[in-house]
Amino acid sequence: MSSLNRELSEDSAFAAGRNSWNRHYHNSVVQPLLTDLYQITMAYAYWKSGKIDDHAVFDLFFRTNPFQGEFTIFAGLEECLKFLDSFHYSETDIEYLKHALPQGIEDEFFDYLSQLTAKDVTLYAIEEGSVAFPRVPLIKVAGPLIIVQLLETTLLTLVNYASLMATNAARYRMVAGKHIHLLEFGLRRAQGPDGGLSASKYSYIGGFDGTSNVLAGKLFNIPVKGTHAHAYITSFTGIDELKTRVLLHKEDGTSRDLLELAMEHRAAIASVLDVSTDESSEGELAAMVSFAIAFPDGFMALVDTYDVKSDKFLGEATEELCDPTDSVVCDPMCAGRLLDLENEESIHPSGVTCNPLPEIPEEECCNGCCADDEESRCAQHAESAVEEEAAQTEEQPNVESNEVQEVDESCPDPPPSITVEDEECGPVEESELIVKASDENGNEDIEDQNVRKVADAEGEELIDLEAENLTEEAPEADGEDEITRCANCEALNTMIHHLKSVGKSFSRTCWLEGHLADISRIVSHIALVSYYDLTSLHHLSRSGLLNFCAVALALNDQGYRAIGIRIDSGDLAYLSCLARETFERIAERFKLPWFSKLTIVASNDINEDTILSLNEQGHKIDCFGIGTHLVTCQRQPALGCVYKMVEINNQPRIKLSQDVGKVTMPGSKNVFRLYGADGHALIDLLQRVDENPPEVGQKVLCRHPFQESKRAYVIPTQVEPLYRVYWTEGRVAQVLPSLEEVRERVQASLRTLRQDHKRTLNPTPYKVAVSDNLYNFIHELWLQNAPIGELS
């Protein structure tokens, strides 16, 4: 019976995990049969060859750091020790092997296996949570050949993913910064349940603050965090569905209708946020009120579920939203519909067939030489303007036609076919599309709704799209100078207006003004994405944030404080800044300083590069929820640890290869980390076990293991031996640290590295060297084992 199944005393090796709900937890999948078949067939061949008493040494190491970085976090040691502690073939294991192995294996071998344990194995390792580097053995295993061979696959699977996962998490922690909370949300995307548990454990070791994985929380004492899904919001369609509306005050016990409080506050803060309560989703409000009543002390709400007018579910990508034929539909009667009459091809986001953008004629392009005023035009454009005037003079205005614009007499010249009107110009025809001026953030201040009315107002910038781009006249507006236009056209026209406004340096060319409609066709290819970005900006501020703030203020009336919000889509940098500004405005308006500090959590397929980009954009996010890219290690799915024999019966062994990177360093070795005068780790030095260790203040010759010319003297200010004996004589030889202590070890170990070793872009390689003695030993053995070729 495994010693893990016995009661452990407070001073036992595994007692450091006593703060866990289950300090005796051992993954039942990790057992001797969790191995490759060839390990057992080799064991039989060893046994058959009489190698039972042979003694071997194996090194477990990796050749390249992951994620294009220059460090790796060693993890998985505790699980390796638990495996050694429980190593035993059960009766059912033996019965299975008798059927699985080739016929003819002697029964005595199975008797041998049934008695096999790891009591004669000695395991050396560096401390779990330490930074490690290529070629430095993470674990050194010594013992009877058969047993140490049988350990190979299981030790590799326990170390490979654990170290890769801890390294990935540590990199996320570095790019996020120490003040940002990181939560692991990857269970549903992990490679199976065991992968999900391992991801939760080792992301916590690497620097994450919590997990959504409840079982990992129980087993490893990791803080468990979570909010709610879009499904909870969409499960409510209106306030009439609220079964419970009353919440008792936290201190005096008085009851109030939380929905009524929230609606009162929503009306009050609508003016503060300059939005209309009509644009917020009642179903969303009901869902938030119900969740707040359930968790008044932990109210964290998802605020990006709805496009408020259509109540379209925007929280997750769906086939409906991604289908170009259905996702964006333009009403045929929409005055903003932009169609090419000649080819009958839509230039809307839903359209995928567009005419190519005409090439810029070199002879017609003045490269922006023309100024806005008529007098400063270049010759060729002055001539084209005269021809245009002549053409318009010949064709008398027709009231029933959209081809000629009616302008005020105060305008000196008829406007060009596509233009931004000056303030002194008079009103334009009803058929023109009107776009409001962009705000200071470059986002048009438009209402987010499927159909809207756009009124002509003096002083606004007007964009006139020629009638040749319209399928039919805009419907008349009952005597008022206003037209209707669908939100899809509104979003597209916003982009066209943006191009016009930000492209001053080149928009003055006649080519651009003459072909803006063609440009819009190119824009339409990206307009679908931009449409949803615009929608997310508006539905967040006009529904999600409005409803959340209303419920949060209602909770405050009853003595509770909300926690914050989660944003799961859209432009995370912009939306986080918008949310933070909203919280600050409400905090100032209602004299609630804590409101400005509400937590903003961001999720939505975040990776390392996303965080770096958000940092550059000045985001206001307090916490990242990271799943897929973290737990699957998408940038590099495997660390590539190997397990190589380096000695048998005190005789060194070397593996040769034409690829020098795969040549092993023979013999049993010790490893030392040498530190420089600045306190940072300078170099890792491998030596033969019979060599004297380096000393502080003494010059040490450090050599590249395979390149003769690369060598340097090092005078260390500190010498750290990396290996400790963790398993010997059938028991764990060290009191193992708790998960919290391993987590702290990771950060302490990373602080010993210079910043240039840790940076994301082009990090400096950390040096791993061998002593002069080991260098000569390697090359002498290399020459002895390398075959001598013959030329003829």
Side-chain angles (χ1 to χ4, degrees), residues 57 59 61 124 135-137 140 644 646-647 653 664-672 686-690 723 770 774 777-778:
V57 178
D59 285 348
F61 62 95
Y124 308 82
R135 294 190 171 279
V136 175
K140 181 173 68 171
K644 299 298 181 182
V646 293
E647 183 178 287
R653 291 292 182 267
T664 60
M665 288 186 279
S668 182
K669 298 171 288 294
N670 285 327
V671 184
F672 301 90
L686 287 85
Q687 292 184 335
R688 301 183 69 184
V689 291
D690 56 0
Y723 282 153
V770 298
L774 180 55
F777 177 70
I778 291 172

PDB file of all heavy atoms in Angstrom, residues 57 59 61 124 135-137 140 644 646-647 653 664-672 686-690 723 770 774 777-778:
ATOM      1  N   VAL A  57      22.226   6.075 -14.527  1.00  0.00           N
ATOM      2  CA  VAL A  57      21.897   7.475 -14.239  1.00  0.00           C
ATOM      3  C   VAL A  57      21.267   8.081 -15.491  1.00  0.00           C
ATOM      4  O   VAL A  57      21.817   7.944 -16.591  1.00  0.00           O
ATOM      5  CB  VAL A  57      23.143   8.286 -13.827  1.00  0.00           C
ATOM      6  CG1 VAL A  57      22.763   9.752 -13.582  1.00  0.00           C
ATOM      7  CG2 VAL A  57      23.791   7.681 -12.596  1.00  0.00           C
ATOM      8  N   ASP A  59      19.381  11.711 -17.129  1.00  0.00           N
ATOM      9  CA  ASP A  59      19.123  13.153 -17.019  1.00  0.00           C
ATOM     10  C   ASP A  59      17.822  13.491 -17.719  1.00  0.00           C
ATOM     11  O   ASP A  59      17.577  13.050 -18.853  1.00  0.00           O
ATOM     12  CB  ASP A  59      20.256  13.964 -17.664  1.00  0.00           C
ATOM     13  CG  ASP A  59      21.514  13.990 -16.823  1.00  0.00           C
ATOM     14  OD1 ASP A  59      21.452  13.586 -15.640  1.00  0.00           O
ATOM     15  OD2 ASP A  59      22.562  14.402 -17.350  1.00  0.00           O
ATOM     16  N   PHE A  61      15.976  16.730 -19.204  1.00  0.00           N
ATOM     17  CA  PHE A  61      16.270  18.128 -19.554  1.00  0.00           C
ATOM     18  C   PHE A  61      15.544  18.504 -20.842  1.00  0.00           C
ATOM     19  O   PHE A  61      14.930  17.670 -21.499  1.00  0.00           O
ATOM     20  CB  PHE A  61      17.775  18.333 -19.718  1.00  0.00           C
ATOM     21  CG  PHE A  61      18.396  17.510 -20.818  1.00  0.00           C
ATOM     22  CD1 PHE A  61      18.585  18.037 -22.086  1.00  0.00           C
ATOM     23  CD2 PHE A  61      18.790  16.191 -20.598  1.00  0.00           C
ATOM     24  CE1 PHE A  61      19.156  17.283 -23.107  1.00  0.00           C
ATOM     25  CE2 PHE A  61      19.361  15.428 -21.598  1.00  0.00           C
ATOM     26  CZ  PHE A  61      19.541  15.968 -22.855  1.00  0.00           C
ATOM     27  N   TYR A 124      17.530  13.493  -7.775  1.00  0.00           N
ATOM     28  CA  TYR A 124      18.045  14.844  -7.541  1.00  0.00           C
ATOM     29  C   TYR A 124      17.262  15.796  -8.443  1.00  0.00           C
ATOM     30  O   TYR A 124      16.913  15.453  -9.574  1.00  0.00           O
ATOM     31  CB  TYR A 124      19.533  14.949  -7.895  1.00  0.00           C
ATOM     32  CG  TYR A 124      20.425  13.913  -7.245  1.00  0.00           C
ATOM     33  CD1 TYR A 124      20.541  12.628  -7.779  1.00  0.00           C
ATOM     34  CD2 TYR A 124      21.188  14.230  -6.123  1.00  0.00           C
ATOM     35  CE1 TYR A 124      21.380  11.683  -7.201  1.00  0.00           C
ATOM     36  CE2 TYR A 124      22.028  13.282  -5.539  1.00  0.00           C
ATOM     37  CZ  TYR A 124      22.114  12.009  -6.077  1.00  0.00           C
ATOM     38  OH  TYR A 124      22.947  11.079  -5.506  1.00  0.00           O
ATOM     39  N   ARG A 135      19.650  22.358 -21.521  1.00  0.00           N
ATOM     40  CA  ARG A 135      20.750  21.423 -21.247  1.00  0.00           C
ATOM     41  C   ARG A 135      21.040  21.214 -19.774  1.00  0.00           C
ATOM     42  O   ARG A 135      21.780  20.304 -19.406  1.00  0.00           O
ATOM     43  CB  ARG A 135      22.045  21.843 -21.961  1.00  0.00           C
ATOM     44  CG  ARG A 135      21.955  21.780 -23.469  1.00  0.00           C
ATOM     45  CD  ARG A 135      23.329  21.955 -24.099  1.00  0.00           C
ATOM     46  NE  ARG A 135      23.262  21.680 -25.531  1.00  0.00           N
ATOM     47  CZ  ARG A 135      23.288  20.473 -26.075  1.00  0.00           C
ATOM     48  NH1 ARG A 135      23.378  19.401 -25.300  1.00  0.00           N
ATOM     49  NH2 ARG A 135      23.216  20.304 -27.382  1.00  0.00           N
ATOM     50  N   VAL A 136      20.487  22.053 -18.919  1.00  0.00           N
ATOM     51  CA  VAL A 136      20.673  21.838 -17.485  1.00  0.00           C
ATOM     52  C   VAL A 136      19.641  20.810 -17.036  1.00  0.00           C
ATOM     53  O   VAL A 136      18.437  21.065 -17.125  1.00  0.00           O
ATOM     54  CB  VAL A 136      20.498  23.141 -16.694  1.00  0.00           C
ATOM     55  CG1 VAL A 136      20.576  22.867 -15.197  1.00  0.00           C
ATOM     56  CG2 VAL A 136      21.535  24.159 -17.113  1.00  0.00           C
ATOM     57  N   PRO A 137      20.067  19.649 -16.550  1.00  0.00           N
ATOM     58  CA  PRO A 137      19.087  18.635 -16.128  1.00  0.00           C
ATOM     59  C   PRO A 137      18.186  19.157 -15.009  1.00  0.00           C
ATOM     60  O   PRO A 137      18.665  19.643 -13.983  1.00  0.00           O
ATOM     61  CB  PRO A 137      19.969  17.479 -15.637  1.00  0.00           C
ATOM     62  CG  PRO A 137      21.266  17.655 -16.368  1.00  0.00           C
ATOM     63  CD  PRO A 137      21.448  19.135 -16.479  1.00  0.00           C
ATOM     64  N   LYS A 140      17.702  14.481 -12.049  1.00  0.00           N
ATOM     65  CA  LYS A 140      18.684  13.427 -12.277  1.00  0.00           C
ATOM     66  C   LYS A 140      18.225  12.207 -11.487  1.00  0.00           C
ATOM     67  O   LYS A 140      17.997  12.293 -10.274  1.00  0.00           O
ATOM     68  CB  LYS A 140      20.077  13.877 -11.834  1.00  0.00           C
ATOM     69  CG  LYS A 140      21.161  12.840 -12.050  1.00  0.00           C
ATOM     70  CD  LYS A 140      22.548  13.405 -11.753  1.00  0.00           C
ATOM     71  CE  LYS A 140      22.735  13.696 -10.285  1.00  0.00           C
ATOM     72  NZ  LYS A 140      24.148  14.054  -9.955  1.00  0.00           N
ATOM     73  N   LYS A 644      17.590  11.026 -20.932  1.00  0.00           N
ATOM     74  CA  LYS A 644      18.706  10.353 -21.570  1.00  0.00           C
ATOM     75  C   LYS A 644      19.635   9.692 -20.549  1.00  0.00           C
ATOM     76  O   LYS A 644      19.972  10.298 -19.524  1.00  0.00           O
ATOM     77  CB  LYS A 644      19.514  11.358 -22.410  1.00  0.00           C
ATOM     78  CG  LYS A 644      18.729  12.020 -23.539  1.00  0.00           C
ATOM     79  CD  LYS A 644      18.233  11.014 -24.569  1.00  0.00           C
ATOM     80  CE  LYS A 644      17.485  11.696 -25.697  1.00  0.00           C
ATOM     81  NZ  LYS A 644      16.954  10.709 -26.674  1.00  0.00           N
ATOM     82  N   VAL A 646      23.052   8.775 -19.093  1.00  0.00           N
ATOM     83  CA  VAL A 646      24.368   9.410 -19.150  1.00  0.00           C
ATOM     84  C   VAL A 646      25.431   8.568 -18.462  1.00  0.00           C
ATOM     85  O   VAL A 646      26.633   8.855 -18.588  1.00  0.00           O
ATOM     86  CB  VAL A 646      24.323  10.821 -18.523  1.00  0.00           C
ATOM     87  CG1 VAL A 646      23.463  11.756 -19.354  1.00  0.00           C
ATOM     88  CG2 VAL A 646      23.856  10.761 -17.071  1.00  0.00           C
ATOM     89  N   GLU A 647      24.981   7.525 -17.749  1.00  0.00           N
ATOM     90  CA  GLU A 647      25.968   6.671 -17.074  1.00  0.00           C
ATOM     91  C   GLU A 647      25.334   5.321 -16.751  1.00  0.00           C
ATOM     92  O   GLU A 647      24.146   5.251 -16.389  1.00  0.00           O
ATOM     93  CB  GLU A 647      26.447   7.353 -15.784  1.00  0.00           C
ATOM     94  CG  GLU A 647      27.535   6.598 -15.040  1.00  0.00           C
ATOM     95  CD  GLU A 647      28.014   7.347 -13.804  1.00  0.00           C
ATOM     96  OE1 GLU A 647      28.727   8.366 -13.968  1.00  0.00           O
ATOM     97  OE2 GLU A 647      27.647   6.942 -12.684  1.00  0.00           O
ATOM     98  N   ARG A 653      28.064   7.496 -20.619  1.00  0.00           N
ATOM     99  CA  ARG A 653      27.457   7.214 -21.918  1.00  0.00           C
ATOM    100  C   ARG A 653      27.136   8.526 -22.628  1.00  0.00           C
ATOM    101  O   ARG A 653      26.681   9.488 -22.001  1.00  0.00           O
ATOM    102  CB  ARG A 653      26.181   6.388 -21.769  1.00  0.00           C
ATOM    103  CG  ARG A 653      26.437   4.957 -21.305  1.00  0.00           C
ATOM    104  CD  ARG A 653      27.161   4.180 -22.407  1.00  0.00           C
ATOM    105  NE  ARG A 653      27.403   2.790 -22.047  1.00  0.00           N
ATOM    106  CZ  ARG A 653      28.515   2.336 -21.483  1.00  0.00           C
ATOM    107  NH1 ARG A 653      29.490   3.201 -21.189  1.00  0.00           N
ATOM    108  NH2 ARG A 653      28.661   1.061 -21.211  1.00  0.00           N
ATOM    109  N   THR A 664      24.452  14.480 -26.182  1.00  0.00           N
ATOM    110  CA  THR A 664      24.263  14.563 -24.739  1.00  0.00           C
ATOM    111  C   THR A 664      25.589  14.813 -24.025  1.00  0.00           C
ATOM    112  O   THR A 664      26.658  14.545 -24.567  1.00  0.00           O
ATOM    113  CB  THR A 664      23.629  13.275 -24.193  1.00  0.00           C
ATOM    114  OG1 THR A 664      24.499  12.172 -24.481  1.00  0.00           O
ATOM    115  CG2 THR A 664      22.274  13.026 -24.831  1.00  0.00           C
ATOM    116  N   MET A 665      25.479  15.334 -22.795  1.00  0.00           N
ATOM    117  CA  MET A 665      26.665  15.543 -21.964  1.00  0.00           C
ATOM    118  C   MET A 665      26.770  14.369 -20.998  1.00  0.00           C
ATOM    119  O   MET A 665      25.906  14.210 -20.119  1.00  0.00           O
ATOM    120  CB  MET A 665      26.567  16.875 -21.228  1.00  0.00           C
ATOM    121  CG  MET A 665      26.764  18.054 -22.166  1.00  0.00           C
ATOM    122  SD  MET A 665      26.844  19.653 -21.320  1.00  0.00           S
ATOM    123  CE  MET A 665      25.111  19.977 -21.085  1.00  0.00           C
ATOM    124  N   PRO A 666      27.775  13.527 -21.146  1.00  0.00           N
ATOM    125  CA  PRO A 666      27.832  12.256 -20.421  1.00  0.00           C
ATOM    126  C   PRO A 666      28.211  12.410 -18.949  1.00  0.00           C
ATOM    127  O   PRO A 666      28.735  13.446 -18.522  1.00  0.00           O
ATOM    128  CB  PRO A 666      28.928  11.496 -21.179  1.00  0.00           C
ATOM    129  CG  PRO A 666      29.828  12.570 -21.697  1.00  0.00           C
ATOM    130  CD  PRO A 666      28.940  13.716 -22.029  1.00  0.00           C
ATOM    131  N   GLY A 667      27.915  11.340 -18.200  1.00  0.00           N
ATOM    132  CA  GLY A 667      28.343  11.261 -16.816  1.00  0.00           C
ATOM    133  C   GLY A 667      27.397  11.937 -15.847  1.00  0.00           C
ATOM    134  O   GLY A 667      26.574  12.782 -16.216  1.00  0.00           O
ATOM    135  N   SER A 668      27.536  11.563 -14.587  1.00  0.00           N
ATOM    136  CA  SER A 668      26.757  12.195 -13.523  1.00  0.00           C
ATOM    137  C   SER A 668      27.349  13.578 -13.238  1.00  0.00           C
ATOM    138  O   SER A 668      28.567  13.716 -13.093  1.00  0.00           O
ATOM    139  CB  SER A 668      26.796  11.326 -12.273  1.00  0.00           C
ATOM    140  OG  SER A 668      26.017  11.889 -11.252  1.00  0.00           O
ATOM    141  N   LYS A 669      26.491  14.582 -13.124  1.00  0.00           N
ATOM    142  CA  LYS A 669      26.964  15.973 -13.045  1.00  0.00           C
ATOM    143  C   LYS A 669      26.304  16.711 -11.887  1.00  0.00           C
ATOM    144  O   LYS A 669      25.201  16.356 -11.437  1.00  0.00           O
ATOM    145  CB  LYS A 669      26.655  16.704 -14.373  1.00  0.00           C
ATOM    146  CG  LYS A 669      27.349  16.098 -15.583  1.00  0.00           C
ATOM    147  CD  LYS A 669      26.865  16.705 -16.875  1.00  0.00           C
ATOM    148  CE  LYS A 669      25.450  16.271 -17.233  1.00  0.00           C
ATOM    149  NZ  LYS A 669      25.331  14.825 -17.538  1.00  0.00           N
ATOM    150  N   ASN A 670      26.940  17.756 -11.454  1.00  0.00           N
ATOM    151  CA  ASN A 670      26.364  18.734 -10.535  1.00  0.00           C
ATOM    152  C   ASN A 670      26.199  20.057 -11.281  1.00  0.00           C
ATOM    153  O   ASN A 670      26.887  20.319 -12.277  1.00  0.00           O
ATOM    154  CB  ASN A 670      27.244  18.941  -9.302  1.00  0.00           C
ATOM    155  CG  ASN A 670      27.146  17.785  -8.327  1.00  0.00           C
ATOM    156  OD1 ASN A 670      26.083  17.164  -8.207  1.00  0.00           O
ATOM    157  ND2 ASN A 670      28.235  17.491  -7.626  1.00  0.00           N
ATOM    158  N   VAL A 671      25.299  20.900 -10.778  1.00  0.00           N
ATOM    159  CA  VAL A 671      25.029  22.182 -11.428  1.00  0.00           C
ATOM    160  C   VAL A 671      25.107  23.294 -10.384  1.00  0.00           C
ATOM    161  O   VAL A 671      24.568  23.163  -9.274  1.00  0.00           O
ATOM    162  CB  VAL A 671      23.641  22.197 -12.104  1.00  0.00           C
ATOM    163  CG1 VAL A 671      23.432  23.518 -12.855  1.00  0.00           C
ATOM    164  CG2 VAL A 671      23.482  21.025 -13.043  1.00  0.00           C
ATOM    165  N   PHE A 672      25.745  24.395 -10.765  1.00  0.00           N
ATOM    166  CA  PHE A 672      25.880  25.554  -9.890  1.00  0.00           C
ATOM    167  C   PHE A 672      25.453  26.805 -10.668  1.00  0.00           C
ATOM    168  O   PHE A 672      25.750  26.937 -11.858  1.00  0.00           O
ATOM    169  CB  PHE A 672      27.314  25.719  -9.397  1.00  0.00           C
ATOM    170  CG  PHE A 672      27.817  24.529  -8.634  1.00  0.00           C
ATOM    171  CD1 PHE A 672      28.459  23.485  -9.289  1.00  0.00           C
ATOM    172  CD2 PHE A 672      27.645  24.452  -7.265  1.00  0.00           C
ATOM    173  CE1 PHE A 672      28.923  22.389  -8.591  1.00  0.00           C
ATOM    174  CE2 PHE A 672      28.104  23.348  -6.557  1.00  0.00           C
ATOM    175  CZ  PHE A 672      28.742  22.311  -7.217  1.00  0.00           C
ATOM    176  N   LEU A 686      27.921  23.482 -15.297  1.00  0.00           N
ATOM    177  CA  LEU A 686      27.853  22.049 -15.062  1.00  0.00           C
ATOM    178  C   LEU A 686      29.256  21.503 -14.837  1.00  0.00           C
ATOM    179  O   LEU A 686      30.192  21.859 -15.567  1.00  0.00           O
ATOM    180  CB  LEU A 686      27.208  21.324 -16.256  1.00  0.00           C
ATOM    181  CG  LEU A 686      25.699  21.481 -16.431  1.00  0.00           C
ATOM    182  CD1 LEU A 686      25.380  22.767 -17.197  1.00  0.00           C
ATOM    183  CD2 LEU A 686      25.109  20.276 -17.166  1.00  0.00           C
ATOM    184  N   GLN A 687      29.381  20.635 -13.817  1.00  0.00           N
ATOM    185  CA  GLN A 687      30.661  20.018 -13.494  1.00  0.00           C
ATOM    186  C   GLN A 687      30.473  18.512 -13.295  1.00  0.00           C
ATOM    187  O   GLN A 687      29.356  18.050 -13.046  1.00  0.00           O
ATOM    188  CB  GLN A 687      31.236  20.591 -12.192  1.00  0.00           C
ATOM    189  CG  GLN A 687      31.680  22.026 -12.250  1.00  0.00           C
ATOM    190  CD  GLN A 687      32.316  22.451 -10.937  1.00  0.00           C
ATOM    191  OE1 GLN A 687      32.036  21.883  -9.875  1.00  0.00           O
ATOM    192  NE2 GLN A 687      33.177  23.453 -10.996  1.00  0.00           N
ATOM    193  N   ARG A 688      31.550  17.762 -13.393  1.00  0.00           N
ATOM    194  CA  ARG A 688      31.522  16.357 -13.015  1.00  0.00           C
ATOM    195  C   ARG A 688      31.365  16.263 -11.496  1.00  0.00           C
ATOM    196  O   ARG A 688      31.801  17.152 -10.755  1.00  0.00           O
ATOM    197  CB  ARG A 688      32.792  15.657 -13.472  1.00  0.00           C
ATOM    198  CG  ARG A 688      33.008  15.718 -14.981  1.00  0.00           C
ATOM    199  CD  ARG A 688      34.249  14.938 -15.394  1.00  0.00           C
ATOM    200  NE  ARG A 688      34.040  13.480 -15.215  1.00  0.00           N
ATOM    201  CZ  ARG A 688      34.981  12.577 -15.426  1.00  0.00           C
ATOM    202  NH1 ARG A 688      36.212  12.955 -15.786  1.00  0.00           N
ATOM    203  NH2 ARG A 688      34.729  11.291 -15.256  1.00  0.00           N
ATOM    204  N   VAL A 689      30.751  15.180 -11.021  1.00  0.00           N
ATOM    205  CA  VAL A 689      30.439  15.082  -9.592  1.00  0.00           C
ATOM    206  C   VAL A 689      31.691  15.006  -8.725  1.00  0.00           C
ATOM    207  O   VAL A 689      31.638  15.340  -7.529  1.00  0.00           O
ATOM    208  CB  VAL A 689      29.536  13.852  -9.315  1.00  0.00           C
ATOM    209  CG1 VAL A 689      28.165  14.064  -9.908  1.00  0.00           C
ATOM    210  CG2 VAL A 689      30.172  12.579  -9.846  1.00  0.00           C
ATOM    211  N   ASP A 690      32.819  14.589  -9.286  1.00  0.00           N
ATOM    212  CA  ASP A 690      34.026  14.483  -8.480  1.00  0.00           C
ATOM    213  C   ASP A 690      34.855  15.768  -8.490  1.00  0.00           C
ATOM    214  O   ASP A 690      35.947  15.818  -7.912  1.00  0.00           O
ATOM    215  CB  ASP A 690      34.889  13.309  -8.945  1.00  0.00           C
ATOM    216  CG  ASP A 690      35.245  13.393 -10.432  1.00  0.00           C
ATOM    217  OD1 ASP A 690      34.819  14.370 -11.102  1.00  0.00           O
ATOM    218  OD2 ASP A 690      35.933  12.475 -10.919  1.00  0.00           O
ATOM    219  N   TYR A 723      21.181  21.433  -7.203  1.00  0.00           N
ATOM    220  CA  TYR A 723      20.589  20.125  -6.938  1.00  0.00           C
ATOM    221  C   TYR A 723      20.386  19.880  -5.441  1.00  0.00           C
ATOM    222  O   TYR A 723      21.230  20.226  -4.606  1.00  0.00           O
ATOM    223  CB  TYR A 723      21.464  19.002  -7.494  1.00  0.00           C
ATOM    224  CG  TYR A 723      21.332  18.802  -8.991  1.00  0.00           C
ATOM    225  CD1 TYR A 723      22.381  18.269  -9.727  1.00  0.00           C
ATOM    226  CD2 TYR A 723      20.166  19.140  -9.663  1.00  0.00           C
ATOM    227  CE1 TYR A 723      22.274  18.080 -11.087  1.00  0.00           C
ATOM    228  CE2 TYR A 723      20.045  18.966 -11.028  1.00  0.00           C
ATOM    229  CZ  TYR A 723      21.103  18.436 -11.737  1.00  0.00           C
ATOM    230  OH  TYR A 723      20.986  18.259 -13.082  1.00  0.00           O
ATOM    231  N   VAL A 770      30.092  24.606 -19.181  1.00  0.00           N
ATOM    232  CA  VAL A 770      30.666  23.447 -18.502  1.00  0.00           C
ATOM    233  C   VAL A 770      32.058  23.822 -18.004  1.00  0.00           C
ATOM    234  O   VAL A 770      32.692  24.749 -18.522  1.00  0.00           O
ATOM    235  CB  VAL A 770      30.743  22.219 -19.446  1.00  0.00           C
ATOM    236  CG1 VAL A 770      29.355  21.791 -19.894  1.00  0.00           C
ATOM    237  CG2 VAL A 770      31.630  22.509 -20.647  1.00  0.00           C
ATOM    238  N   LEU A 774      35.002  19.063 -17.468  1.00  0.00           N
ATOM    239  CA  LEU A 774      33.888  18.395 -18.152  1.00  0.00           C
ATOM    240  C   LEU A 774      33.984  18.583 -19.662  1.00  0.00           C
ATOM    241  O   LEU A 774      33.673  17.665 -20.433  1.00  0.00           O
ATOM    242  CB  LEU A 774      32.551  18.936 -17.627  1.00  0.00           C
ATOM    243  CG  LEU A 774      31.284  18.337 -18.244  1.00  0.00           C
ATOM    244  CD1 LEU A 774      31.259  16.820 -18.116  1.00  0.00           C
ATOM    245  CD2 LEU A 774      30.032  18.962 -17.609  1.00  0.00           C
ATOM    246  N   PHE A 777      36.421  16.104 -20.940  1.00  0.00           N
ATOM    247  CA  PHE A 777      35.849  14.767 -20.792  1.00  0.00           C
ATOM    248  C   PHE A 777      34.848  14.479 -21.916  1.00  0.00           C
ATOM    249  O   PHE A 777      34.857  13.389 -22.508  1.00  0.00           O
ATOM    250  CB  PHE A 777      35.182  14.672 -19.419  1.00  0.00           C
ATOM    251  CG  PHE A 777      34.491  13.370 -19.165  1.00  0.00           C
ATOM    252  CD1 PHE A 777      35.208  12.196 -18.976  1.00  0.00           C
ATOM    253  CD2 PHE A 777      33.102  13.303 -19.120  1.00  0.00           C
ATOM    254  CE1 PHE A 777      34.567  10.993 -18.736  1.00  0.00           C
ATOM    255  CE2 PHE A 777      32.453  12.119 -18.874  1.00  0.00           C
ATOM    256  CZ  PHE A 777      33.189  10.950 -18.690  1.00  0.00           C
ATOM    257  N   ILE A 778      33.991  15.458 -22.218  1.00  0.00           N
ATOM    258  CA  ILE A 778      32.985  15.285 -23.273  1.00  0.00           C
ATOM    259  C   ILE A 778      33.666  15.025 -24.620  1.00  0.00           C
ATOM    260  O   ILE A 778      33.304  14.093 -25.349  1.00  0.00           O
ATOM    261  CB  ILE A 778      32.076  16.535 -23.371  1.00  0.00           C
ATOM    262  CG1 ILE A 778      31.191  16.655 -22.132  1.00  0.00           C
ATOM    263  CG2 ILE A 778      31.200  16.471 -24.631  1.00  0.00           C
ATOM    264  CD1 ILE A 778      30.412  17.955 -22.058  1.00  0.00           C
TER     265      ILE A 778
END
